[in-house]
Amino acid sequence: MTSPPPRIVLFHYSFSPYAQRVVWYLTLRGIPYSQCLQPAMLPRPDLNSLGIQHRRIPLLSIGRDVYVDTRLIIEKLEELYPEKPRLSNATTPEHKALEILLQRFTIDSGVFGQAAALLPLDLPVMKSGQWWKDRSSLFNGKYSPETIKRARPSALAEMRESMTLLETTILSDGRDWVLGTKEPTIADINAIWPFYWIMGIPGALPKTSFSASEFPKIHAWTARFQKIISAAKKQGQKPETVSGDQAYEIITKSLFHDKSSVVSDELSDLQVGDVVDLRPSDYGIQHVDTGRLVALSPKEVTIEVATSNTTIHLHAPRHGFVVKKSNKPKL
């Protein structure tokens, strides 16, 4: 008899566009999960109680394993619930490449940064001095009302170019979804999220330059996607909201889900048991997690992190993260 999948807890806040990627994925596949809602700004004691310093949202736990970065989170979720149709419908090398390249396009090439620079300064959250202080720390001191104002003209030009790319290539033949499928796939999630997010914020984009008449296929695509998501939410199970204490109990009393415990990267001199530091390579770099190395592969790193009374495993992708031997005393 197959044991049931371990319980899933998603740590996020409602208006995080990155978290929205994971919520969409869970919703479209009908995967049950709990959510532990977090403040948009530090501190986040719920995560600190788990021994986690990583500050970027979302994080997702599967059993006693906690994953950061939406790319790794979605990849791990694809392995769960094999009886449910998976969302990666990339059946050819070209489709698989497109799925990955669209992820790199929206996350690594600056599309999200362009979108973030278009947030209207009159949004309620943007009127908080604490918000600017928090985000300035996150983005290595490069975030202020002045930098947003200066960046807006070039960000608009870049956003228009990015939308034009999708409008005139992938979506140009009138297909409903990126891979020409009958339903949205991971490729759609990878491509749509920053555009869906910024198009939904009043005042972020000039109506004349980014209207449905200028980008009819992108507007139709996002409307279809919204309709599919809304229908899936109505049909699916609403996530249970748990407190930080409840999330701690769920995670620390679970078994480890991910059993990997080897180092298989010949390019690294790290060994299982080494005390290492793990941090992002782009922003949020001041927040370093230190723990014993459990596993290392060309794609993923896993460290053991101490909580107040036990340990958990923290997982991050190699891409976009730095892992190195720690100068801190042995744990």
Side-chain angles (χ1 to χ4, degrees):
M1 182 176 178
T2 304
S3 58
R7 192 164 174 183
I8 294 171
V9 180
L10 176 64
F11 294 85
H12 74 114
Y13 55 87
S14 61
F15 59 92
S16 164
Y18 277 100
Q20 195 170 51
R21 282 167 45 84
V22 179
V23 171
W24 286 340
Y25 179 91
L26 292 164
T27 301
L28 289 173
R29 280 200 70 201
I31 294 177
Y33 69 99
S34 300
Q35 61 179 1
C36 185
L37 297 176
Q38 298 299 297
M41 296 175 278
L42 297 183
R44 296 192 181 114
D46 298 340
L47 295 171
N48 296 152
S49 71
L50 290 165
I52 296 173
Q53 304 305 312
H54 182 81
R55 67 148 296 165
R56 283 153 52 169
I57 292 293
L59 298 87
L60 181 132
S61 67
I62 304 175
R64 207 157 135 197
D65 294 87
V66 179
Y67 300 88
V68 305
D69 196 283
T70 59
R71 291 165 287 198
L72 180 61
I73 289 171
I74 290 174
E75 181 180 317
K76 292 295 179 177
L77 288 172
E78 273 286 277
E79 300 171 1
L80 292 181
Y81 292 92
E83 73 279 6
K84 296 178 181 289
R86 289 182 168 88
L87 288 192
S88 179
N89 201 29
T91 56
T92 68
E94 292 80 7
H95 279 179
K96 187 61 180 176
L98 185 59
E99 182 182 284
I100 295 170
L101 288 172
L102 284 170
Q103 178 177 267
R104 296 289 181 98
F105 169 57
T106 55
I107 295 178
D108 293 341
S109 75
V111 174
F112 172 68
Q114 297 154 15
L118 297 174
L119 289 173
L121 293 176
D122 60 357
L123 289 176
V125 71
M126 306 284 267
K127 296 178 181 179
S128 164
Q130 185 60 32
W131 169 265
W132 293 105
K133 182 179 179 181
D134 179 85
R135 285 324 192 248
S136 180
S137 172
L138 173 62
F139 295 114
N140 311 321
K142 300 176 181 178
Y143 196 75
S144 68
E146 291 71 28
T147 59
I148 292 292
K149 289 177 183 177
R150 288 197 300 268
R152 183 171 175 82
S154 59
L156 283 171
E158 293 286 353
M159 182 57 61
R160 180 175 57 192
E161 183 175 350
S162 297
M163 291 176 65
T164 299
L165 173 64
L166 295 179
E167 182 83 14
T168 60
T169 57
I170 295 171
L171 301 175
S172 64
D173 60 2
R175 66 184 65 190
D176 283 348
W177 308 110
V178 165
L179 299 183
T181 51
K182 294 181 179 179
E183 302 290 341
T185 68
I186 288 178
D188 290 280
I189 292 176
N190 286 345
I192 204 170
W193 68 279
F195 306 105
Y196 182 101
W197 175 62
I198 202 64
M199 289 168 65
I201 299 175
L205 298 173
K207 292 182 179 180
T208 54
S209 301
F210 292 86
S211 66
S213 60
E214 292 292 324
F215 294 100
K217 293 179 173 59
I218 286 183
H219 278 265
W221 179 43
T222 55
R224 278 193 301 274
F225 192 78
Q226 174 61 55
K227 186 176 180 180
I228 289 284
I229 292 293
S230 296
K233 283 183 177 179
K234 289 179 181 179
Q235 295 174 2
Q237 178 180 330
K238 186 177 179 180
E240 176 191 7
T241 299
V242 298
S243 68
D245 289 343
Q246 289 173 316
Y248 182 91
E249 290 296 308
I250 292 168
I251 294 168
T252 58
K253 291 185 176 179
S254 296
L255 299 175
F256 288 112
H257 163 70
D258 200 315
K259 304 300 184 183
S260 58
S261 59
V262 297
V263 173
S264 60
D265 185 357
E266 70 280 2
L267 300 180
S268 172
D269 62 353
L270 296 175
Q271 301 294 325
V272 168
D274 284 348
V275 178
V276 298
D277 292 334
L278 176 66
R279 65 166 176 82
S281 60
D282 46 8
Y283 61 94
I285 62 176
Q286 302 93 335
H287 300 269
V288 180
D289 285 285
T290 301
R292 293 189 183 278
L293 185 65
V294 173
L296 186 72
S297 74
K299 294 186 66 176
E300 183 180 346
V301 56
T302 307
I303 65 173
E304 182 184 74
V305 175
T307 71
S308 59
N309 60 1
T310 185
T311 60
I312 63 166
H313 286 175
L314 183 66
H315 302 251
R318 294 293 298 277
H319 177 66
F321 282 76
V322 175
V323 57
K324 63 180 182 179
K325 287 185 179 179
S326 178
N327 293 324
K328 297 176 183 177
K330 289 187 176 182
L331 301 178

